[in-house]
Amino acid sequence: MISIFILFIVFESMLNAQYDVHKVNRFLSKEDRYKIEKANSYLNQGNEILFADYSTGEKDSLFQKMPNYIELSKNMYVGKKIGRLLYDTNDYYKTGFESKVEVYRSYISNYINHGTGLFETEVEGLNDSISNLLRDALLERNKSKAVGGLSKGGSLIHSSNQYYQKAVLFSQQALVYIAKDKWHSKIASSSDSIQKQEQPIEVAVNEIHVTEPKQEKVIEAASIVESKKTVQQNPEQKTPIVIENKVPVEEKKETVLEETKQVVKDEVYYTVQIMADRKTVSESRVKLVYKGNHPIIENQGDGWYRYSFGKFFTLNEAKRALTASKTKGYVVAYKNKDRISLSEAKSWLLSNGKKN
């Protein structure tokens, strides 16, 4: 047991040391790392143009620290000159940010859809925030095309870049959770291996003890329905005195029927989430995202309004609907109005005779 504890401490320290947002790219495949490098090249081109007023030495020193857009532009004033540069760098930043988020979210969606993660709730929350940030970034971008003046338009692009950068940071934080989950799995696997090696000794010790058979008390169902029994101990007698209070059988039946009705009301289902917001969203706006035939469902919780389509009773059916919709949604599960994990939904549906 000591060896397991030491192993856990070592791995936990490795978690904290290795998985910060600056090293999250190590978690990606070779192909996706290349995509991130390409996205960073677009962002660097934008930085070189927008922050051209830095001296060469300052620029090299600053960019070597891999700062994000929010850090770089902290003291930036958007006048006409900066506004023009923001228009010039518009495509560089938009392409770079969206490419990075697209790569990260492919891992996030896979993790959520798998439905058995240790940090599923945290990753889902971050994913909802990412969706909102991307939406706000695009709205600001679109506004910049309609306004007049370099300063106003530039300010909107600057605001859009900040939303995009936050979406990247939230995506990286989600991948940190996913990476930690993988390390925890390794810890559990290593612990199981050590326990299996020590098991023969434990069995040998346990075989020395003789376990007395437990006596089980059997209570007749009819006696529970027909009467409630109160037991009082008489100090002068060794045998307890049993006082019966008759309860009408019909009254008990009504209670049982009420409980049965309550159980029937429970509904567990999968659905495809496509949008989340801090305030209610109009039906017309939801239909801009999803134009299919499945009904739209609104669920409120944790200060969020979450919008999804369809009620499905198998995970595969929900995944097929997601693929057919061609939206950037993901599968979630609910029990009545409460959000639950995919694994909880699967267990509940199986225990209630639903094939999953």
Side-chain angles (χ1 to χ4, degrees):
M1 295 299 293
I2 295 173
S3 56
I4 296 172
F5 179 74
I6 294 171
L7 183 66
F8 180 82
I9 295 295
V10 171
F11 273 110
E12 195 66 27
S13 64
M14 289 174 71
L15 286 179
N16 298 329
Q18 288 189 0
Y19 287 107
D20 55 61
V21 293
H22 296 295
K23 297 176 182 178
V24 75
N25 289 348
R26 296 179 184 178
F27 179 68
L28 309 178
S29 68
K30 185 177 180 180
E31 181 182 355
D32 286 334
R33 283 200 298 270
Y34 171 75
K35 290 179 182 177
I36 294 296
E37 287 175 10
K38 190 174 181 180
N40 284 334
S41 70
Y42 282 109
L43 296 175
N44 288 336
Q45 288 179 70
N47 290 340
E48 288 285 344
I49 297 168
L50 186 59
F51 304 102
D53 286 346
Y54 283 109
S55 66
T56 304
E58 286 177 323
K59 198 183 297 182
D60 291 342
S61 174
L62 185 62
F63 290 169
Q64 279 175 2
K65 297 176 183 177
M66 296 176 65
N68 62 56
Y69 180 87
I70 295 171
E71 293 171 339
L72 280 170
S73 62
K74 185 167 56 177
N75 299 316
M76 186 173 72
Y77 169 73
V78 182
K80 288 184 178 180
K81 181 181 177 182
I82 296 297
R84 184 183 298 279
L85 291 174
L86 282 162
Y87 273 104
D88 291 342
T89 57
N90 179 47
D91 290 339
Y92 289 130
Y93 283 116
K94 186 174 184 294
T95 302
F97 284 131
E98 288 185 348
S99 298
K100 290 186 81 167
V101 174
E102 184 178 1
V103 170
Y104 294 145
R105 290 194 90 182
S106 65
Y107 289 85
I108 294 168
S109 296
N110 286 337
Y111 182 78
I112 293 172
N113 289 335
H114 193 260
T116 56
L118 293 172
F119 304 104
E120 187 179 342
T121 303
E122 290 84 350
V123 174
E124 283 183 355
L126 287 166
N127 198 40
D128 288 342
S129 298
I130 293 163
S131 297
N132 286 319
L133 289 166
L134 292 176
R135 182 204 64 211
D136 292 340
L138 286 173
L139 285 173
E140 296 292 272
R141 262 323 192 263
N142 291 333
K143 286 179 187 176
S144 71
K145 297 174 184 177
V147 300
L150 292 171
S151 181
K152 288 183 179 179
S155 295
L156 288 167
I157 294 173
H158 173 54
S159 176
S160 175
N161 288 345
Q162 290 180 314
Y163 284 128
Y164 271 130
Q165 181 63 77
K166 288 176 183 177
V168 170
L169 293 174
F170 277 36
S171 300
Q172 290 173 332
Q173 184 57 52
L175 258 69
V176 169
Y177 278 119
I178 296 170
K180 283 184 177 182
D181 195 341
K182 287 189 175 291
W183 277 104
H184 277 290
S185 298
K186 288 185 179 180
I187 293 169
S189 177
S190 300
S191 299
D192 289 343
S193 177
I194 293 170
Q195 284 179 331
K196 284 177 183 178
Q197 292 174 7
E198 295 177 351
Q199 190 65 27
I201 301 171
E202 293 177 2
V203 171
V205 173
N206 291 337
E207 285 175 354
I208 298 171
H209 300 285
V210 178
T211 305
E212 291 292 332
K214 293 183 180 179
Q215 294 182 352
E216 295 183 355
K217 293 182 180 180
V218 180
I219 302 173
E220 292 292 334
S223 67
I224 294 174
V225 175
E226 292 178 359
S227 64
K228 291 181 181 178
K229 295 187 177 181
T230 306
V231 180
Q232 296 181 352
Q233 186 70 42
N234 189 331
E236 297 178 359
Q237 295 180 352
K238 294 182 180 179
T239 306
I241 300 172
V242 179
I243 302 172
E244 291 194 4
N245 295 319
K246 294 292 182 180
V247 178
V249 177
E250 290 181 3
E251 184 182 330
K252 187 64 182 179
K253 283 181 179 177
E254 287 178 6
T255 306
V256 172
L257 285 172
E258 286 177 7
E259 290 175 358
T260 305
K261 287 178 183 177
Q262 187 65 35
V263 172
V264 171
K265 288 181 182 178
D266 284 339
E267 182 184 30
V268 173
Y269 61 90
Y270 301 103
T271 185
V272 179
Q273 184 167 315
I274 51 173
M275 185 182 291
D277 206 320
R278 290 291 186 184
K279 54 187 178 182
T280 55
V281 177
S282 65
E283 185 180 350
S284 59
R285 192 173 138 203
V286 175
K287 285 183 176 179
L288 291 174
V289 179
Y290 173 69
K291 300 176 182 179
N293 297 323
H294 290 290
I296 300 298
I297 302 167
E298 179 189 275
N299 280 301
Q300 185 182 1
D302 305 325
W304 289 92
Y305 291 88
R306 296 181 172 92
Y307 295 87
S308 60
F309 68 81
K311 287 186 178 181
F312 309 98
F313 298 101
T314 69
L315 186 57
N316 286 336
E317 187 183 3
K319 287 180 178 179
R320 284 196 296 269
L322 170 59
T323 303
S325 71
K326 297 180 180 179
T327 63
K328 292 184 178 179
Y330 54 95
V331 178
V332 296
Y334 282 90
K335 183 176 183 180
N336 301 326
K337 291 289 183 181
D338 298 323
R339 180 85 161 263
I340 60 175
S341 69
L342 298 183
S343 56
E344 286 178 293
K346 183 177 180 180
S347 298
W348 192 93
L349 289 166
L350 286 172
S351 65
N352 285 271
K354 303 280 187 181
K355 290 184 179 180
N356 206 29

